[in-house]
Amino acid sequence: MSESPDVLIVGGGLIGLAIAWRASGHGLRVTVIDPHPGRGASWAAAGMLAPVSEAHHGEEALIRLNMAAAEAYPDFVDELEAETEVPVGYRRCGTLMVGFDADDVRALHDVAALQGSLGLAVERLSGRACRELEPMLTPSVSGGIHVPGDHQVDNRRLVHALTVAVERRATLLRQRVTGLVVTGDRAEGVTLDDGRSLHAPTVVLAAGCWSRDLPGLPARVRPPVRPVKGQVLRLRIPIEPALFGGTIRWLVEGSPGYVVPRADGELVLGATSEERGFDTEVTADGVFQLLRGAHQVIPGISEATLTECRAGLRPGSPDNAPMLGRTAMEGLVMATGHHRNGVLLTPITARAIAALLATGEVDPVVAPFATDRFAAPAAPA
Ligand SMILES: Cc1cc2nc3c(=O)[nH]c(=O)nc-3n(C[C@H](O)[C@H](O)[C@H](O)COP(=O)(O)OP(=O)(O)OC[C@H]3O[C@@H](n4cnc5c(N)ncnc54)[C@H](O)[C@@H]3O)c2cc1C
């Protein structure tokens, strides 16, 4: 470990690891601290890179950030794979969103209208056209939208590649941070499980949904992140014949779901969205809902082997967007609250935060996501 790191990063999920990798590329000495790197939300996730199919009314600034993130992906992946020789399963496979009944299709067309008004590429399809694209779909599918630009990455391979890169260029410490060291009004380091303290001019808080609870964090800089539980299943099918073209998302009587097919035959089937604090139990009801939705849209999925049931915790924020940049406390930078798009937002977060650490400059693309946007306005004097 570097005796005098320039930056300490609390949390080695995709966000902390990618910031470390990029910051070390700027010549900074970085230490990432995490007892279980990459095993939080970043491990549970499905890996959809979905700025268009995840577009929601009222989230226009986030949609712009998500689009910029998707554009940054190919170069990020090329560079990481070249450096580590770890393939990360980036597939430009597009996404098909289908509706089961007429109401579901109307809801999808409503989303398509928003997407179209923002200049995003989408194409409305009949039920028959959906089945021509994805023959595994039931004939009962009423219609859908094709989103050619929403791709996927294998988030677990991405965790592996970033871990390899960080272990080569920086320090990855498998310890839990037990507190923030604050002197006066300045963050100066952290304390660890083993009783040691580490010091650095800058501490980056990238602990996902746990970011709010770091001991020693003063209330005025505590990020309003919360855990949003997502139950998700992994299944396996033969690679030959290729049964899926790309990601399929659906609405069945208003309930959403998706299946993300990997090149190696894995299917990721997700996901619930539940406000249950830090609970990560997998429930019979959660598994039932996921399998029922999938079976209604893709009946043949019942033939697949079920290999994993898991629940992860998305780092939710009040406006579903991340908190990125300096905080009101000197020496403390934040990169958290990526909610349902953290895999997508990994490259752009890493680029912006690493540049901030190296140069002090705020990348305009992340300026709307300042960490103080939820702070209560100061009382009049
Ligand atoms: C079911 C599910 C499906 C998802 N699907 C997608 C998707 O398809 N596309 C997409 O873009 N996003 C998706 N997401 C969201 C995405 O996974 C998250 O936004 C992203 O992984 C957040 O990354 P992170 O590094 O901030 O958090 P995490 O990956 O949770 O990492 C936080 C890390 O902080 C560490 N930590 C916590 N406390 C401490 C401490 N005291 N000391 C040291 N370390 C600490 C933890 O060990 C953990 O490794 C999904 C999430 C879930 C749960």
Side-chain angles (χ1 to χ4, degrees), residues 10-16 33-42 44-48 175-177 206-208 210 214 230 232 258 271 312-315 338-344:
V10 183
L14 282 174
I15 298 300
I33 312 150
D34 193 319
H36 309 291
R39 293 301 187 274
S42 302
M48 291 179 291
Q175 293 253 340
R176 195 168 65 86
V177 172
W210 298 274
L214 185 68
V232 60
Y258 56 75
L313 300 173
R314 305 172 184 91
H338 292 76
H339 201 184
R340 54 179 195 261
N341 289 307
V343 182
L344 170 63

Side-chain angles (χ1 to χ4, degrees), residues 296-310:
Q296 275 176 283
V297 178
I298 308 164
I301 208 157
S302 310
E303 306 286 324
T305 306
L306 180 60
T307 56
E308 185 183 309
C309 306
R310 172 180 294 269

Side-chain angles (χ1 to χ4, degrees), residues 208-228:
C209 69
W210 298 274
S211 299
R212 185 190 184 123
D213 300 319
L214 185 68
L217 200 61
R220 66 192 175 81
V221 290
R222 206 173 286 155
V225 283
R226 67 180 198 287
V228 180

Side-chain angles (χ1 to χ4, degrees), residues 14-23 26 76 162 324 335 338 345-357 366:
L14 282 174
I15 298 300
L17 290 171
I19 293 171
W21 180 52
R22 284 304 196 202
H26 283 278
F76 178 83
L162 283 168
L324 303 172
H338 292 76
L345 290 170
T346 292
I348 205 152
T349 299
R351 186 182 80 195
I353 299 293
L356 176 73
L357 295 170
V366 301

